[in-house]
Amino acid sequence: MAMNYNAKDEVDGGPPCAPGGPAKTRRPDNTAFKQQRLPAWQPILTAGTVLPTFFIIGLIFIPIGIGIFVTSNNIREIEGNVFMYYGLSNFYQNHRRYVKSRDDSQLNGDSSALLNPSKECEPYRRNEDKPIAPCGAIANSMFNDTLELFLIGNGSYPTPITLKKKGIAWWTDKNVKFRNPPGGENLQERFKGTTKPVNWLKPVYMLDSDPDNNGFINEDFIVWMRTAALPTFRKLYRLIERKSDLHPTLPAGRYYLNITYNYPVHSFDGRKRMILSTISWMGGKNPFLGIAYIAIGSISFLLGVVLLVINHKYRNSSNTADITI
């Protein structure tokens, strides 16, 4: 029995499979969504809407940028309540495998994770057939130089500057994220059965003589474990507290910085530095944010002026042409 076939069948997806049966079709359902008949709003960009936007962005961003930039420049790097930082260059703490190379359960004091660290810590998971505590590449590469600051008096012995090593870590890190394993008073017993990271000079339970700043809750260790986003960074090392409002924290004079060199940087072509800085409502000295606001505001304002000139020129040309016609 012959079957008729026409172009409509091709559009609909082919002829029916059998006489009298339902027709097969690839045509979408006749709904507002599938037929793209939903109500929509499309902005119409005109000179009256675009130009004010550029000018408003410029007028808002430029004063904010100037304020931030001036505030940053007013932060003096040797006076007031002083924070001592160490800085590293060309060290990529933001590498994906490096960032993942840690065991947060182990760092939180979990006993099972202490003896059986996560596989994310490889190849710094075990050493000498013992689990490493703390495991991972981040902990293994911890900064361990020692910095000491002295004031050199006239004809006298150098006076050491008191450097406070507690209060440098985030409260949430110190009190929530990092915990020593449960157990008795002897911290060494709590870490029994583990070994130190490969590059460390001493085990984690010997980082400090102060029991409130030892083990996983050591603040130097906690600060290092908060990875930096850029290859050039600084991390808080010590706090120099101001003892009197009548005397500066660091009086004018000559200072001597004693560095116990333990942390090599030649392997990654890096550089080390020490920074003394005060802070303001926006943190430490960093002019980038102010410069970024000024640049964006200036570009927006300049674009607004250019577009205003172009609009004025072509609008006058259009009016002249209409009069001529």
Side-chain angles (χ1 to χ4, degrees):
M1 180 176 176
M3 294 182 65
N4 294 328
Y5 175 74
N6 54 38
K8 183 176 182 300
D9 294 328
E10 185 177 358
V11 174
D12 289 343
C17 58
K24 290 185 176 179
T25 177
R26 294 192 182 96
R27 180 179 296 172
D29 295 337
N30 188 21
T31 62
F33 178 76
K34 293 187 176 181
Q35 294 295 336
Q36 299 183 9
R37 296 195 301 266
L38 290 174
W41 175 80
Q42 181 179 0
I44 300 175
L45 301 179
T46 64
T49 58
V50 174
L51 293 178
T53 302
F54 279 112
F55 286 120
I56 290 173
I57 293 175
L59 292 174
I60 293 176
F61 275 51
I62 292 176
I64 292 176
I66 293 174
I68 295 175
F69 185 77
V70 170
T71 302
S72 177
N73 283 345
N74 286 337
I75 297 174
R76 292 181 290 180
E77 302 232 8
I78 56 173
E79 299 293 346
N81 290 327
V82 180
F83 295 84
M84 176 184 282
Y85 299 85
Y86 63 86
L88 289 176
S89 299
N90 206 37
F91 192 103
Y92 288 82
Q93 273 199 317
N94 58 354
H95 192 282
R96 183 180 63 86
R97 290 191 62 186
Y98 182 89
V99 171
K100 293 176 62 177
S101 186
R102 61 189 292 165
D103 188 341
D104 288 322
S105 296
Q106 185 191 60
L107 298 174
N108 196 243
D110 186 273
S111 299
S112 60
L114 181 69
L115 300 177
N116 186 27
S118 168
K119 293 182 180 179
E120 297 285 358
C121 289
E122 294 288 0
Y124 303 104
R125 182 171 176 256
R126 304 184 70 86
N127 187 34
E128 299 177 352
D129 201 31
K130 289 184 178 181
I132 296 176
C135 72
I138 307 178
N140 186 67
S141 60
M142 177 181 168
F143 183 84
N144 60 348
D145 280 1
T146 301
L147 308 179
E148 298 173 295
L149 189 63
F150 298 88
L151 173 63
I152 301 176
N154 295 325
S156 61
Y157 289 103
T159 304
I161 302 298
T162 303
L163 303 177
K164 186 179 178 182
K165 57 188 175 183
K166 296 177 68 175
I168 61 175
W170 289 22
W171 187 92
T172 51
D173 290 346
K174 175 78 173 181
N175 296 279
V176 178
K177 295 184 179 180
F178 290 80
R179 287 280 189 274
N180 282 323
E185 293 294 329
N186 192 336
L187 189 60
Q188 182 175 353
E189 284 295 320
R190 300 194 223 173
F191 284 95
K192 186 177 181 180
T194 66
T195 187
K196 68 178 181 64
V198 177
N199 289 346
W200 283 26
L201 301 176
K202 51 190 175 182
V204 67
Y205 51 80
M206 294 180 63
L207 291 179
D208 200 312
S209 57
D210 184 353
D212 292 330
N213 193 42
N214 200 11
F216 288 160
I217 60 174
N218 176 265
E219 297 201 25
D220 285 326
F221 172 66
I222 294 173
V223 169
W224 177 258
M225 293 300 290
R226 182 169 285 278
T227 54
L230 299 174
T232 298
F233 58 86
R234 63 171 67 176
K235 290 181 182 285
L236 186 57
Y237 180 71
R238 293 292 182 265
L239 172 63
I240 306 175
E241 291 185 323
R242 189 171 186 177
K243 297 180 180 179
S244 172
D245 292 338
L246 302 177
H247 302 283
T249 307
L250 293 178
R254 296 172 57 212
Y255 288 86
Y256 168 70
L257 179 65
N258 183 51
I259 304 173
T260 304
Y261 191 98
N262 297 315
Y263 198 81
V265 295
H266 298 292
S267 60
F268 56 90
D269 195 25
R271 295 184 63 185
K272 294 186 286 188
R273 64 192 188 279
M274 187 275 287
I275 306 102
L276 296 175
S277 175
T278 57
I279 62 172
S280 69
W281 59 269
M282 56 170 291
K285 187 170 186 176
N286 185 4
F288 173 78
L289 185 61
I291 294 173
Y293 267 92
I294 294 173
I296 294 174
S298 301
I299 292 173
S300 296
F301 195 86
L302 180 62
L303 286 175
V305 172
V306 172
L307 293 177
L308 180 62
V309 172
I310 293 174
N311 176 68
H312 181 73
K313 177 182 177 181
Y314 283 94
R315 185 175 59 181
N316 290 343
S317 299
S318 176
N319 294 337
T320 303
D322 292 341
I323 294 172
T324 303
I325 291 173

